[in-house]
DNA sequence: AATTCGGGGAG
DNA sequence: CTCCCAGAATT
């Protein structure tokens, strides 16, 4: 088995023949099987950055409708720069990782005021912007500006790790550096940067899949050194933590009590939430329903109840939040579970109104 | 180097 | 149910 060092030393001098063959097979596969995503139709630096932000840790099919709606609402840097954060978060609602939306908005404002609305094309420069890391910087440089630089996402790293039979944890810095050099060398040919990176990512997603790779349909099989079927080092398993949380619905006619997520906390910052039930200042009136939702390592059972303020205690203890009219809740950004709560409440209101 | 940050789709 | 996704920032 080759050591990583050997592969790293080989990288700059991969045989021209190998490079040629690699792209010949891959480009043919891409021509027949590449995905037709809307952000590939007429890419601009803006549309590419929007799509790349949305695609961070989010499956492409999930992103499609969000991307289309976003480009309608915020077609360019200027419209995004002039928007309120509330609108921006509302357009992002349901995608998760909301700091992506806040960072994208910040970038728009920065560009609009400081750079005449133009992104730099150099990956090192791109990395100076909030929310742009190594992958996104190189993706934008290649997909939007045609720079020949490797965009190493999870798919590409997996493909290359198998191709070279790197039996080491693939998230190690040294491993990534090696893969970067190899891909960099592979793409220095006729291949257009945008096509090359897109093809490799699509290929990893569709064929060289994490769990059940379709080796039988692999066009790179003859040059792959992976010892099948042993594939990749397993990831460390994470412990799931189960929690119960109680949400209070406090209403007064057509107004509901909502609070904006604390600005010094990162999760849900800027989004609006129904408050947690707090027995010190609230009284439960009636149970409503349960809702479960899970994310990363948490499995949360949300209990939703109707509640009212305990006015005596409320006087001594200022409570954050404010009354929001029913009609306004539609336009506020809510985390997914809270949006679901809201929709449940609405449908109950409707059925109660029934003839 | 490990954790945090969401949510949904696929198997 | 479990795994994973066109990652980045923070600890």
């Amino acid at each position: 088995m080759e050591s990583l060092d050997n592969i790293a030393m080989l990288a700059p001098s991969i045989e021209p023949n190998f490079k040629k063959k690699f792209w010949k097979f891959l480009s043919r596969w891409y021509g027949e099987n590449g995905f037709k995503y809307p952000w590939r139709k007429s890419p601009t630096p803006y549309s590419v950055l929007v799509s790349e932000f949305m695609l961070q840790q989010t499956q492409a099919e999930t992103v499609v409708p969000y991307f289309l709606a976003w480009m309608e609402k915020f077609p360019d840097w200027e419209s995004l720069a002039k928007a309120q954060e509330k609108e921006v978060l509302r357009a992002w609602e349901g995608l998760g990782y909301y700091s992506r939306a806040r960072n994208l908005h910040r970038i728009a404002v920065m560009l609009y005021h400081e750079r005449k609305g133009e992104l730099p094309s150099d990956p090192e420069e791109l990395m100076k912007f909030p929310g742009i890391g190594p992958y996104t910087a190189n993706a934008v440089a290649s997909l939007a500006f045609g720079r020949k630089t490797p965009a190493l996402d999870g798919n590409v790293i997996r493909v290359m790790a198998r191709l070279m039979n790197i039996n080491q944890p693939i998230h190690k810095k040294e491993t990534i550096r090696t893969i970067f050099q190899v891909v960099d060398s592979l793409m220095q040919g006729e291949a257009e940067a945008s096509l090359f990176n897109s093809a490799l990512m699509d290929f990893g997603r569709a064929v060289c899949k994490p769990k059940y790779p379709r080796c039988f349909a692999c066009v790179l099989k003859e040059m792959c050194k992976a010892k099948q079927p042993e594939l990749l080092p397993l990831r460390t398993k994470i412990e799931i933590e189960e929690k119960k949380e109680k949400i209070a619905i406090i209403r007064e006619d057509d107004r509901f009590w909502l609070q904006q997520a604390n600005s010094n906390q990162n999760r849900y910052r800027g989004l609006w939430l129904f408050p947690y039930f707090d027995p010190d200042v609230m009284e439960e009136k009636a149970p409503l329903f349960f809702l479960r939702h899970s994310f990363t390592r948490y499995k949360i059972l949300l209990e939703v109840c109707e509640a009212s303020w305990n006015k005596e205690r409320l006087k001594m203890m200022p409570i954050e939040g404010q009354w929001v009219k029913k009609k306004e809740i539609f336009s506020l950004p809510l985390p997914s579970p809270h949006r679901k709560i809201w929709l449940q409440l609405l449908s109950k209101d409707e059925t109660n109104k029934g003839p």
Side-chain angles (χ1 to χ4, degrees):
Chain A
M1 174 183 101
E2 300 91 338
S3 79
L4 208 53
D5 295 339
N6 286 340
I7 296 172
M9 301 210 339
L10 271 166
S13 56
I14 297 172
E15 290 177 32
N17 216 5
F18 183 93
K19 290 188 204 174
K20 228 173 156 179
K21 212 152 142 192
F22 183 89
W23 181 235
K24 184 182 160 193
F25 292 159
L26 186 61
S27 60
R28 186 194 300 159
W29 178 88
Y30 186 62
E32 292 166 9
N33 305 285
F35 296 100
K36 318 288 182 209
Y37 295 123
W39 46 88
R40 285 179 175 169
K41 213 163 177 186
S42 48
T44 65
Y46 174 71
S47 69
V48 169
L49 192 66
V50 170
S51 64
E52 289 305 334
F53 264 59
M54 290 185 171
L55 287 160
Q56 288 170 6
Q57 289 294 283
T58 306
Q59 296 186 357
E61 299 307 329
T62 307
V63 166
V64 171
Y66 282 90
F67 175 80
L68 293 172
W70 184 281
M71 294 304 287
E72 282 288 316
K73 196 167 171 57
F74 310 117
D76 49 33
W77 289 120
E78 183 177 349
S79 55
L80 183 57
K82 289 181 174 170
Q84 295 179 3
E85 186 173 77
K86 188 175 80 170
E87 302 174 80
V88 175
L89 289 172
R90 182 64 180 85
W92 203 271
E93 182 185 297
L95 265 183
Y97 289 123
Y98 296 95
S99 62
R100 295 181 295 176
R102 291 191 296 266
N103 286 334
L104 189 56
H105 189 209
R106 282 173 61 196
I107 293 176
V109 173
M110 290 166 73
L111 291 185
Y112 187 63
H113 287 113
E114 296 164 25
R115 297 185 51 106
K116 295 187 279 185
E118 294 298 325
L119 267 181
S121 64
D122 177 30
E124 292 300 323
E125 290 300 311
L126 284 162
M127 290 238 278
K128 293 178 182 168
F129 291 90
I132 300 186
Y135 163 75
T136 306
N138 287 291
V140 171
S142 63
L143 303 182
F145 295 105
R147 305 253 304 216
K148 278 202 180 181
T149 182
L152 303 189
D153 73 336
N155 292 312
V156 175
I157 290 168
R158 183 176 61 251
V159 171
M160 298 311 295
R162 284 178 178 154
L163 204 70
M164 301 186 289
N165 193 29
I166 297 179
N167 286 319
Q168 311 199 17
I170 53 177
H171 52 270
K172 269 180 67 178
K173 211 171 164 187
E174 191 53 34
T175 311
I176 305 287
R177 258 169 44 84
T178 302
I179 292 178
F180 188 94
Q181 289 174 4
V182 172
V183 176
D184 190 48
S185 169
L186 279 175
M187 72 191 297
Q188 305 303 328
E190 312 158 36
E192 197 209 324
S194 161
L195 284 184
F196 186 96
N197 282 334
S198 303
L200 208 45
M201 289 191 274
D202 281 15
F203 180 76
R205 172 150 118 74
V207 179
C208 199
K209 304 200 288 184
K211 207 160 181 189
Y212 299 106
R214 301 163 55 82
C215 299
F216 57 88
C218 177
V219 294
L220 301 177
K221 195 167 184 170
E222 70 176 69
M223 43 186 86
C224 181
K225 300 200 175 192
K227 293 198 173 62
Q228 303 153 29
E230 317 155 27
L231 290 161
L232 280 182
L234 300 165
R235 220 180 265 192
T236 53
K237 221 178 145 177
I238 42 168
E239 281 302 303
I240 301 291
E241 191 177 327
E242 300 198 14
K243 293 168 95 175
K244 286 185 186 172
E245 292 174 355
K246 196 164 174 179
I247 301 288
I249 306 301
I250 305 177
R251 66 185 298 180
E252 223 177 60
D253 304 321
D254 67 334
R255 300 186 308 169
F256 290 77
W257 189 267
L258 291 177
Q259 50 196 44
Q260 197 167 19
N262 197 326
S263 61
N264 54 24
Q265 284 209 313
N266 215 13
R267 184 186 312 178
Y268 292 152
R269 191 187 340 155
L271 280 73
W272 292 78
L273 313 165
F274 293 103
Y276 286 109
F277 181 78
D278 179 352
D280 286 341
V281 290
M282 300 172 188
E283 284 168 6
E284 179 167 354
K285 284 161 66 185
L288 289 174
F289 51 85
F290 290 88
L291 200 67
R292 41 181 93 253
H293 84 119
S294 44
F295 60 93
T296 52
R297 41 181 287 268
Y298 298 103
K299 212 166 83 178
I300 299 173
L301 182 60
L302 284 178
E303 180 183 359
V304 183
C305 70
E306 246 185 284
S308 60
W309 293 114
N310 180 327
K311 298 206 169 147
E312 286 309 306
R313 299 205 188 170
L314 197 55
K315 283 176 194 162
M316 336 222 292
M317 195 190 289
I319 187 93
E320 52 181 309
Q322 64 190 71
W323 292 108
V324 180
K325 283 189 180 170
K326 196 169 166 180
K327 275 193 171 176
E328 290 165 6
I329 296 182
F330 174 77
S331 64
L332 290 181
L334 268 56
S336 230
H338 287 254
R339 180 63 68 191
K340 286 177 187 162
I341 291 174
W342 175 239
L343 293 176
Q344 281 275 334
L345 292 173
L346 268 187
S347 70
K348 285 198 181 211
D349 267 20
E350 288 307 310
T351 52
N352 288 345
K353 263 193 241 167

